[in-house]
């Protein structure tokens, strides 16, 4: 049975979920984490529901059997939409946190009442997302834009030099895709009838924040899910008595981090390890030795 010292499992179709892991690490610095990127099968957003559900079940079982995880964060909007209810039924004893586009937080901050939503086609066409939108349709005007290929492009951009302010947005594949989809949505800004809020409905998209900001302007609010997911994960662990405790205070009165032989973060991938290593170093400042390749049939 998992103990408080057991790791928290986190998985995504690829490296995009590292944006969620970054928030989890900030919220719970004493916890251990095992992150699995199913990059051999990425992106999930352009796969069918049955395939995504099968992968979600297989990875959940793998993380439980091989790493004895005490909780699971499904750091993928598409996997959450396709399989979260089935996973809850199959693993009722496992604290489980999924993602969905942050529509409700966007409603709380929009001033113009016009909200843009970008995500993968798999997420935005799912029954779960449709039900969410139907429940909120009378509260704002939503412009929903599937971004085919963007998650895949972000996935493969990690080995390229970072975009700088001197580069034209469309000088890279990710920037060109961002430009295409933002331009298709309509006007952004704070004037009446303009979208003043943009929901980033895929974990990969925060990593093209620079490109999106250049396209929508400085005043548009970006809403993503990493921080609320981290808060919810902490709440569930506290309720289950599984939150990892710090050691007693030292002579300075400051609590000390727990110590054991296990690494605080393990990063696993079913695809090329070089991609995960590059993403971990760029986005989390974690060394390549944290990364390894695994097989999850």
């Amino acid at each position: 049975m998992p103990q408080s010292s057991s790791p928290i499992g986190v998985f995504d179709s690829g490296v995009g979920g590292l944006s969620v892991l970054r928030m989890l690490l900030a919220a719970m610095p004493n916890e251990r984490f095992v992150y699995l990127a199913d990059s051999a099968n990425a992106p999930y957003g352009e796969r069918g529901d049955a395939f995504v559900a099968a992968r979600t079940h297989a990875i959940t079982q793998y993380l439980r059997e091989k790493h004895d995880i005490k909780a699971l964060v499904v750091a993928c909007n598409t996997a959450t939409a396709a399989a979260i209810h089935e996973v809850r039924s199959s693993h009722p004893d496992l604290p489980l946190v999924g993602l969905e586009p942050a529509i409700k937080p966007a409603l709380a901050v929009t001033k113009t009442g016009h909200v843009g939503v970008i995500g993968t086609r798999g997420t935005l066409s799912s029954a779960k997302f449709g039900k969410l939108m139907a429940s909120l349709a009378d509260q704002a005007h939503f412009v929903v834009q599937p971004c085919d290929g963007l998650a895949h492009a972000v996935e493969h951009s990690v080995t390229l030099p970072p975009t700088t302010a001197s580069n034209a947005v469309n000088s890279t594949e990710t920037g060109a895709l961002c430009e295409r989809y933002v331009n298709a949505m309509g006007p952004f800004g704070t004037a009446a009838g303009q979208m003043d809020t943009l929901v980033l409905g895929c974990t990969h998209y925060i990593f093209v924040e620079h490109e999106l900001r250049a396209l929508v302007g400085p005043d548009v609010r970006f809403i993503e899910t990493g921080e609320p997911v981290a808060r919810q994960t902490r709440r569930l662990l506290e309720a289950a008595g599984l939150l990892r405790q710090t050691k007693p205070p030292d002579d300075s009165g400051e609590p000390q981090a727990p110590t054991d032989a296990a690494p605080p973060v393990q990063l696993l991938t079913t695809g090329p390890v070089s991609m995960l290593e590059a993403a971990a170093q760029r986005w989390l400042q974690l060394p390549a030795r944290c990364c390894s390749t695994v097989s999850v049939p």
Side-chain angles (χ1 to χ4, degrees):
M1 292 293 292
Q3 306 296 319
S4 62
S5 59
S6 299
I8 299 167
V10 185
F11 95 89
D12 184 23
S13 63
V15 299
L18 292 175
S19 63
V20 177
L21 178 60
R22 183 166 62 183
M23 295 295 139
L24 289 163
L25 285 164
M28 294 174 286
N30 294 320
E31 293 289 351
R32 292 170 50 217
F33 293 92
V34 176
Y35 179 91
L36 196 151
D38 193 19
S39 293
N41 297 292
Y44 282 177
E46 294 163 35
R47 301 276 198 169
D49 282 356
F51 179 88
V52 174
R55 293 305 298 162
T56 303
H57 283 290
I59 289 167
T60 302
Q61 197 63 37
Y62 171 86
L63 289 172
R64 296 206 77 175
E65 291 179 357
K66 301 296 185 182
H67 295 277
D68 193 30
I69 59 171
K70 64 181 180 182
L72 177 65
V73 177
V74 182
C76 175
N77 289 274
T78 304
T80 298
I84 196 76
H85 296 303
E86 295 177 13
V87 175
R88 287 191 199 281
S89 297
S90 301
H91 301 270
D93 60 323
L94 182 68
L96 186 64
V97 181
L99 272 69
E100 66 179 19
I103 304 300
K104 293 178 183 177
L107 288 174
V109 301
T110 180
K111 300 291 195 302
T112 65
H114 290 254
V115 175
V117 185
I118 55 176
T120 67
R121 189 168 296 275
T123 295
L124 301 184
S125 64
S126 68
K128 190 173 188 294
F129 181 75
K131 184 177 180 180
L132 174 65
M133 290 300 293
S135 71
L136 302 170
D138 61 345
Q139 298 186 38
H141 175 76
F142 295 99
V143 177
V144 177
Q145 177 64 52
C147 297
D148 297 335
L150 182 55
H152 184 266
V154 173
E155 190 91 1
H156 289 269
S157 71
V158 296
T159 57
L160 303 175
T163 303
T164 66
S166 61
N167 295 131
V169 169
N170 60 9
S171 65
T172 64
E173 181 185 7
T174 54
L177 287 168
C178 288
E179 184 176 57
R180 178 197 305 175
Y181 295 128
V182 166
N183 288 345
M185 295 177 75
F188 283 86
T190 57
Q194 295 183 330
M195 289 172 280
D196 66 348
T197 306
L198 179 62
V199 176
L200 309 185
C202 172
T203 55
H204 288 73
Y205 296 170
I206 193 63
F207 296 126
V208 286
E209 181 179 12
H210 170 81
E211 291 89 336
L212 292 171
R213 178 60 65 200
L215 291 163
V216 303
D219 299 322
V220 173
R221 291 283 297 270
F222 290 166
I223 308 294
E224 50 95 22
T225 54
E227 190 173 342
V229 163
R231 289 197 302 267
Q232 174 66 0
T233 304
R234 185 182 179 98
R235 281 195 295 266
L236 287 180
L237 290 173
E238 287 176 332
L242 290 172
L243 192 67
R244 199 174 189 207
Q245 301 299 316
T246 58
K247 292 167 61 179
D250 60 16
D251 292 341
S252 70
E254 292 295 322
Q256 303 175 68
T259 57
D260 54 38
V265 181
Q266 289 180 270
L267 304 176
L268 313 174
T269 180
T270 60
V273 73
S274 58
M275 185 183 298
L276 183 61
E277 289 172 346
Q281 290 171 345
R282 176 181 289 191
W283 295 332
L284 297 181
Q285 291 75 56
L286 289 173
R289 65 175 180 273
C290 293
C291 305
S292 57
T293 303
V294 296
S295 175
V296 182

